Amino acid sequence: MADFTLLVNGAPYRVQAAPEEPLLTVLRNRLQLTGTKFGCGEGECGACTVLLSGKAARSCITTVSSAAGSEIITIEGIERHGQLSPVQQAFLEEGAFQCAYCTTGMIVAATSLLQDHPHPTDEQILTAMDGNICRCGTYPRILAAIHRASAIMAQKKGADHARG
Ligand code: FES
Ligand code: FES
């Protein structure tokens, strides 16, 4: 066991853990951040996706020791000041889920994609989201939601610009 300081959703947390413990179990079991889901546990489904220094990462195959020192954002940190993020808003408006087990990972992965590609093509979306599995098959609505999120972000940017 060792002591680690994790920077999660803007706040520092001290945790004691084995260095090879997956970040996912630390988030869920020690920090009670249960929005990040356990799916396959092998890096194959995307249910456990978090942002690690701004990039989508599978927390089930990320060790706590390698995550220490990076900025970690979970689904709980995507919303800001009580406001849904554009991606969350778009997923709701498009109804881009059924059981919603995959949804938090999808939203985090889409957030990462839109940071890199604010106006993604279908192909860019399909490539970026390829590793995120939805067993309910809501892929067409997820695709539509990501395009809608892109439009919401552009609209907000335009409004901010106009306000100066
Ligand atoms: S639970 Fe991590 S990729 Fe499936
Ligand atoms: S909405 Fe059920 S797994 Fe995606």
Side-chain angles (χ1 to χ4, degrees), residues 97-103 133-136 138:
F97 41 77
Q98 277 187 37
C99 78
Y101 200 82
C102 69
T103 307
I133 293 171
C134 175
R135 278 190 265 180
C136 301
T138 57

PDB file of all heavy atoms in Angstrom, residues 97-103 133-136 138, ligand 2:
ATOM      1  N   PHE A  97     -30.080   7.209 -24.995  1.00  0.00           N
ATOM      2  CA  PHE A  97     -29.820   6.087 -24.079  1.00  0.00           C
ATOM      3  C   PHE A  97     -31.113   5.307 -23.866  1.00  0.00           C
ATOM      4  O   PHE A  97     -32.203   5.813 -24.102  1.00  0.00           O
ATOM      5  CB  PHE A  97     -29.301   6.592 -22.731  1.00  0.00           C
ATOM      6  CG  PHE A  97     -29.993   7.831 -22.235  1.00  0.00           C
ATOM      7  CD1 PHE A  97     -31.256   7.762 -21.669  1.00  0.00           C
ATOM      8  CD2 PHE A  97     -29.407   9.079 -22.392  1.00  0.00           C
ATOM      9  CE1 PHE A  97     -31.906   8.904 -21.236  1.00  0.00           C
ATOM     10  CE2 PHE A  97     -30.055  10.234 -21.955  1.00  0.00           C
ATOM     11  CZ  PHE A  97     -31.305  10.135 -21.383  1.00  0.00           C
ATOM     12  N   GLN A  98     -30.936   4.063 -23.424  1.00  0.00           N
ATOM     13  CA  GLN A  98     -32.092   3.272 -22.960  1.00  0.00           C
ATOM     14  C   GLN A  98     -31.849   2.902 -21.499  1.00  0.00           C
ATOM     15  O   GLN A  98     -32.354   3.533 -20.605  1.00  0.00           O
ATOM     16  CB  GLN A  98     -32.272   2.027 -23.826  1.00  0.00           C
ATOM     17  CG  GLN A  98     -33.034   2.345 -25.108  1.00  0.00           C
ATOM     18  CD  GLN A  98     -33.360   1.104 -25.892  1.00  0.00           C
ATOM     19  OE1 GLN A  98     -33.669   0.057 -25.346  1.00  0.00           O
ATOM     20  NE2 GLN A  98     -33.289   1.219 -27.207  1.00  0.00           N
ATOM     21  N   CYS A  99     -30.977   1.908 -21.256  1.00  0.00           N
ATOM     22  CA  CYS A  99     -30.691   1.558 -19.850  1.00  0.00           C
ATOM     23  C   CYS A  99     -29.723   2.564 -19.229  1.00  0.00           C
ATOM     24  O   CYS A  99     -29.642   2.679 -18.023  1.00  0.00           O
ATOM     25  CB  CYS A  99     -30.122   0.152 -19.754  1.00  0.00           C
ATOM     26  SG  CYS A  99     -28.367   0.039 -20.199  1.00  0.00           S
ATOM     27  N   ALA A 100     -28.969   3.248 -20.079  1.00  0.00           N
ATOM     28  CA  ALA A 100     -28.031   4.312 -19.672  1.00  0.00           C
ATOM     29  C   ALA A 100     -26.747   3.804 -19.014  1.00  0.00           C
ATOM     30  O   ALA A 100     -25.969   4.600 -18.513  1.00  0.00           O
ATOM     31  CB  ALA A 100     -28.697   5.356 -18.790  1.00  0.00           C
ATOM     32  N   TYR A 101     -26.530   2.482 -19.020  1.00  0.00           N
ATOM     33  CA  TYR A 101     -25.303   1.988 -18.385  1.00  0.00           C
ATOM     34  C   TYR A 101     -24.051   2.524 -19.085  1.00  0.00           C
ATOM     35  O   TYR A 101     -23.055   2.830 -18.441  1.00  0.00           O
ATOM     36  CB  TYR A 101     -25.273   0.450 -18.352  1.00  0.00           C
ATOM     37  CG  TYR A 101     -24.314  -0.060 -17.315  1.00  0.00           C
ATOM     38  CD1 TYR A 101     -24.695  -0.151 -15.981  1.00  0.00           C
ATOM     39  CD2 TYR A 101     -23.010  -0.398 -17.654  1.00  0.00           C
ATOM     40  CE1 TYR A 101     -23.810  -0.577 -15.005  1.00  0.00           C
ATOM     41  CE2 TYR A 101     -22.116  -0.830 -16.684  1.00  0.00           C
ATOM     42  CZ  TYR A 101     -22.519  -0.913 -15.361  1.00  0.00           C
ATOM     43  OH  TYR A 101     -21.635  -1.333 -14.404  1.00  0.00           O
ATOM     44  N   CYS A 102     -24.128   2.650 -20.394  1.00  0.00           N
ATOM     45  CA  CYS A 102     -22.957   3.111 -21.158  1.00  0.00           C
ATOM     46  C   CYS A 102     -22.836   4.629 -21.183  1.00  0.00           C
ATOM     47  O   CYS A 102     -21.823   5.164 -21.640  1.00  0.00           O
ATOM     48  CB  CYS A 102     -23.062   2.624 -22.606  1.00  0.00           C
ATOM     49  SG  CYS A 102     -24.404   3.445 -23.535  1.00  0.00           S
ATOM     50  N   THR A 103     -23.901   5.321 -20.735  1.00  0.00           N
ATOM     51  CA  THR A 103     -24.038   6.752 -21.051  1.00  0.00           C
ATOM     52  C   THR A 103     -22.952   7.630 -20.451  1.00  0.00           C
ATOM     53  O   THR A 103     -22.446   8.540 -21.123  1.00  0.00           O
ATOM     54  CB  THR A 103     -25.431   7.261 -20.607  1.00  0.00           C
ATOM     55  OG1 THR A 103     -26.412   6.407 -21.187  1.00  0.00           O
ATOM     56  CG2 THR A 103     -25.666   8.688 -21.078  1.00  0.00           C
ATOM     57  N   ILE A 133     -19.043   0.773 -26.102  1.00  0.00           N
ATOM     58  CA  ILE A 133     -20.093  -0.161 -26.521  1.00  0.00           C
ATOM     59  C   ILE A 133     -21.418   0.177 -25.843  1.00  0.00           C
ATOM     60  O   ILE A 133     -21.457   0.440 -24.638  1.00  0.00           O
ATOM     61  CB  ILE A 133     -19.674  -1.611 -26.180  1.00  0.00           C
ATOM     62  CG1 ILE A 133     -18.469  -1.987 -27.047  1.00  0.00           C
ATOM     63  CG2 ILE A 133     -20.828  -2.593 -26.384  1.00  0.00           C
ATOM     64  CD1 ILE A 133     -17.818  -3.286 -26.672  1.00  0.00           C
ATOM     65  N   CYS A 134     -22.477   0.181 -26.652  1.00  0.00           N
ATOM     66  CA  CYS A 134     -23.833   0.350 -26.128  1.00  0.00           C
ATOM     67  C   CYS A 134     -24.605  -0.927 -26.427  1.00  0.00           C
ATOM     68  O   CYS A 134     -24.918  -1.195 -27.580  1.00  0.00           O
ATOM     69  CB  CYS A 134     -24.528   1.548 -26.783  1.00  0.00           C
ATOM     70  SG  CYS A 134     -26.255   1.680 -26.265  1.00  0.00           S
ATOM     71  N   ARG A 135     -24.899  -1.670 -25.392  1.00  0.00           N
ATOM     72  CA  ARG A 135     -25.594  -2.945 -25.599  1.00  0.00           C
ATOM     73  C   ARG A 135     -27.048  -2.723 -26.019  1.00  0.00           C
ATOM     74  O   ARG A 135     -27.689  -3.622 -26.534  1.00  0.00           O
ATOM     75  CB  ARG A 135     -25.525  -3.800 -24.341  1.00  0.00           C
ATOM     76  CG  ARG A 135     -24.193  -4.534 -24.270  1.00  0.00           C
ATOM     77  CD  ARG A 135     -24.213  -5.546 -23.181  1.00  0.00           C
ATOM     78  NE  ARG A 135     -23.632  -4.982 -21.973  1.00  0.00           N
ATOM     79  CZ  ARG A 135     -23.510  -5.635 -20.833  1.00  0.00           C
ATOM     80  NH1 ARG A 135     -23.958  -6.848 -20.720  1.00  0.00           N
ATOM     81  NH2 ARG A 135     -22.943  -5.073 -19.804  1.00  0.00           N
ATOM     82  N   CYS A 136     -27.576  -1.538 -25.769  1.00  0.00           N
ATOM     83  CA  CYS A 136     -28.953  -1.251 -26.185  1.00  0.00           C
ATOM     84  C   CYS A 136     -29.009  -0.772 -27.629  1.00  0.00           C
ATOM     85  O   CYS A 136     -30.105  -0.552 -28.162  1.00  0.00           O
ATOM     86  CB  CYS A 136     -29.576  -0.205 -25.279  1.00  0.00           C
ATOM     87  SG  CYS A 136     -29.618  -0.688 -23.547  1.00  0.00           S
ATOM     88  N   THR A 138     -28.080   2.150 -29.095  1.00  0.00           N
ATOM     89  CA  THR A 138     -28.571   3.516 -29.348  1.00  0.00           C
ATOM     90  C   THR A 138     -27.571   4.340 -30.172  1.00  0.00           C
ATOM     91  O   THR A 138     -27.591   5.564 -30.116  1.00  0.00           O
ATOM     92  CB  THR A 138     -28.877   4.256 -28.019  1.00  0.00           C
ATOM     93  OG1 THR A 138     -27.697   4.279 -27.217  1.00  0.00           O
ATOM     94  CG2 THR A 138     -29.988   3.589 -27.255  1.00  0.00           C
TER      95      THR A 138
HETATM   96  S1  FES B   2     -28.129   2.669 -23.274  1.00  0.00           S
HETATM   97 FE1  FES B   2     -27.990   0.610 -22.479  1.00  0.00          FE
HETATM   98  S2  FES B   2     -25.920   0.094 -22.865  1.00  0.00           S
HETATM   99 FE2  FES B   2     -26.145   1.962 -23.867  1.00  0.00          FE
END
